[in-house]
Amino acid sequence: MTTTRSTEVPTKAAVPPATSTGPRVQSAVIKYGFIFVTVTLFTYFALSEPSFRDSATLLDTLRYVSVAAILGLGVTLTMAVGGMDMSVGAVAGLGVTVAAKTMVTYNQVGVVAILAVIAAGALAGLLNALLIVVLKIPDMLATLGTMFVIQGTKLILVDGQSITPGMTQSDGSTAPGKFTEGFLRIDRGTVLGVPVSVLIFGALTVVAWVFLARTRWGRVLYAIGANPEASRLAGIRVGAYRALAYVLSGVLASIGGLILASRIGQGDVSAGTSQLLEAVAVALVGTSVLGRGRPNVWGTALGAVLIGIITTGLTIKGLPYYTQDVVEGAVLILALVFSFTLSKRRTA
């Protein structure tokens, strides 16, 4: 009697592939980490300090960050083309000086001052574009040089003195003009209880987002920032688009200067000095929002809100200003960690 041996090879039961939650958690932290931090800080200050929950405090927070946020939008545009505008604070300060000079010294109306300030910002942007696009000077070095030139120019315009209504001028006469009521409403006025400067900040954020994310020009700016040589070979006028980014940055900085001039009500020669670091900070913080890893408008806006929450919350708690600087610096470092971690994962 013969027996046959089965040739079938027994199979093992199928084992479901192992899943690792580590990468998913890391991805979630990178993508939503800063939103979580913002919400957590807001909740903490709101629960621990009743005055923080007041609507007037929240609006004042947005009003406080509106200048840095608008300047940050300009920095975001230049970052999109792979550059960095370090002159935005100086341009905003120049705007304060030009506004005061126009209304107080030359006794012109607010509309003339607004046009003069925006023209000055556009000229500053053109100067940056000339240095960077035509003379091929690296972005950061060129805009740092422009920053010092603009700071010196505004001091020369006013003989190193702040401009105030009724001041005695260098020729011994009294300044004939003043800041008009309409101009002062740029920051001090409200519409339905919302400060005008906050509305300007919101409107410019939406316009900048549409421009960068929903138009061909914005997509081209991002393409140039990612690979300028490939963009050039594709027929894109790289120089023209980079110039556009810097001119727009100058215009946005001048709008921030208008708000600042309306806020302080005089031509303070030191105005705008502190705005550069805040503008750069909010733009860099914005790169880590939602794990984008690149400059984006909504990220910059959220970065500005986060800085405002920290500053207002710590002020209400009575912490000294140098503590606020440490916390803001720590937030910026954390944002950069998120951004560079994301960029490494994308290139891995």
Side-chain angles (χ1 to χ4, degrees), residues 22-178:
R24 293 183 179 180
V25 172
Q26 183 183 16
S27 178
V29 169
I30 292 174
K31 188 171 185 179
Y32 302 109
F34 253 86
I35 295 178
F36 175 77
V37 169
T38 303
V39 173
T40 300
L41 284 174
F42 179 84
T43 303
Y44 167 70
F45 287 128
L47 293 177
S48 61
E49 298 291 340
S51 60
F52 186 85
R53 300 193 297 267
D54 187 82
S55 60
T57 301
L58 299 178
L59 289 174
D60 280 341
T61 299
L62 294 176
R63 176 174 169 267
Y64 165 75
V65 302
S66 60
V67 174
I70 292 172
L71 269 60
L73 293 177
V75 175
T76 300
L77 291 174
T78 60
M79 288 173 63
V81 294
M84 174 68 74
D85 189 352
M86 302 296 290
S87 67
V88 290
V91 175
L94 177 64
V96 174
T97 298
V98 171
K101 190 82 172 174
T102 303
M103 286 182 288
V104 176
T105 303
Y106 297 120
N107 198 22
Q108 298 295 315
V109 296
V111 174
V112 175
I114 291 172
L115 294 176
V117 170
I118 293 177
L123 287 174
L126 282 173
L127 175 59
N128 283 330
L130 173 66
L131 296 174
I132 294 166
V133 177
V134 179
L135 300 182
K136 309 297 182 183
I137 300 175
D139 304 61
M140 189 169 292
L141 295 178
T143 54
L144 277 174
T146 304
M147 177 186 75
F148 287 112
V149 169
I150 292 174
Q151 287 177 341
T153 300
K154 73 176 183 179
L155 290 174
I156 293 173
L157 288 174
V158 296
D159 296 324
Q161 298 180 352
S162 296
I163 301 176
T164 56
M167 67 178 290
T168 301
Q169 303 182 102
S170 57
D171 60 358
S173 63
T174 301
K178 65 177 183 178

Side-chain angles (χ1 to χ4, degrees), residues 2-337:
T2 60
T3 59
T4 58
R5 183 176 297 175
S6 174
T7 58
E8 295 182 359
V9 179
T11 59
K12 295 181 180 180
V15 179
T19 58
S20 174
T21 59
R24 293 183 179 180
V25 172
Q26 183 183 16
S27 178
V29 169
I30 292 174
K31 188 171 185 179
Y32 302 109
F34 253 86
I35 295 178
F36 175 77
V37 169
T38 303
V39 173
T40 300
L41 284 174
F42 179 84
T43 303
Y44 167 70
F45 287 128
L47 293 177
S48 61
E49 298 291 340
S51 60
F52 186 85
R53 300 193 297 267
D54 187 82
S55 60
T57 301
L58 299 178
L59 289 174
D60 280 341
T61 299
L62 294 176
R63 176 174 169 267
Y64 165 75
V65 302
S66 60
V67 174
I70 292 172
L71 269 60
L73 293 177
V75 175
T76 300
L77 291 174
T78 60
M79 288 173 63
V81 294
M84 174 68 74
D85 189 352
M86 302 296 290
S87 67
V88 290
V91 175
L94 177 64
V96 174
T97 298
V98 171
K101 190 82 172 174
T102 303
M103 286 182 288
V104 176
T105 303
Y106 297 120
N107 198 22
Q108 298 295 315
V109 296
V111 174
V112 175
I114 291 172
L115 294 176
V117 170
I118 293 177
L123 287 174
L126 282 173
L127 175 59
N128 283 330
L130 173 66
L131 296 174
I132 294 166
V133 177
V134 179
L135 300 182
K136 309 297 182 183
I137 300 175
D139 304 61
M140 189 169 292
L141 295 178
T143 54
L144 277 174
T146 304
M147 177 186 75
F148 287 112
V149 169
I150 292 174
Q151 287 177 341
T153 300
K154 73 176 183 179
L155 290 174
I156 293 173
L157 288 174
V158 296
D159 296 324
Q161 298 180 352
S162 296
I163 301 176
T164 56
M167 67 178 290
T168 301
Q169 303 182 102
S170 57
D171 60 358
S173 63
T174 301
K178 65 177 183 178
F179 282 79
T180 64
E181 291 298 322
F183 185 88
L184 293 176
R185 280 184 55 81
I186 293 176
D187 183 68
R188 304 180 187 183
T190 60
V191 176
L192 300 177
V194 181
V196 174
S197 55
V198 175
L199 296 175
I200 294 173
F201 162 39
L204 289 176
T205 299
V206 172
V207 171
W209 170 73
V210 171
F211 175 76
L212 268 183
R214 292 291 183 268
T215 68
R216 177 183 178 275
W217 298 286
R219 291 190 290 271
V220 169
L221 293 183
Y222 277 128
I224 292 172
N227 194 326
E229 183 60 23
S231 300
R232 185 186 67 81
L233 294 175
I236 295 173
R237 299 173 62 188
V238 173
Y241 279 97
R242 294 187 72 196
L244 173 64
Y246 281 94
V247 171
L248 291 177
S249 179
V251 170
L252 286 169
S254 69
I255 294 174
L258 288 171
I259 295 174
L260 200 56
S262 173
R263 180 172 300 172
I264 61 181
Q266 64 176 355
D268 190 344
V269 292
S270 64
T273 304
S274 64
Q275 299 298 325
L276 169 62
L277 294 180
E278 291 186 353
V280 173
V282 299
L284 289 174
V285 167
T287 61
S288 66
V289 173
L290 292 177
R292 297 289 179 83
R294 68 174 186 175
N296 66 94
V297 170
W298 292 118
T300 298
L302 182 59
V305 171
L306 176 59
I307 296 298
I309 289 173
I310 293 172
T311 302
T312 302
L314 295 181
T315 300
I316 292 176
K317 285 189 169 296
L319 271 71
Y321 71 92
Y322 46 81
T323 304
Q324 299 174 14
D325 291 341
V326 171
V327 175
E328 289 181 8
V331 170
L332 175 58
I333 292 173
L334 187 60
L336 294 175
V337 169

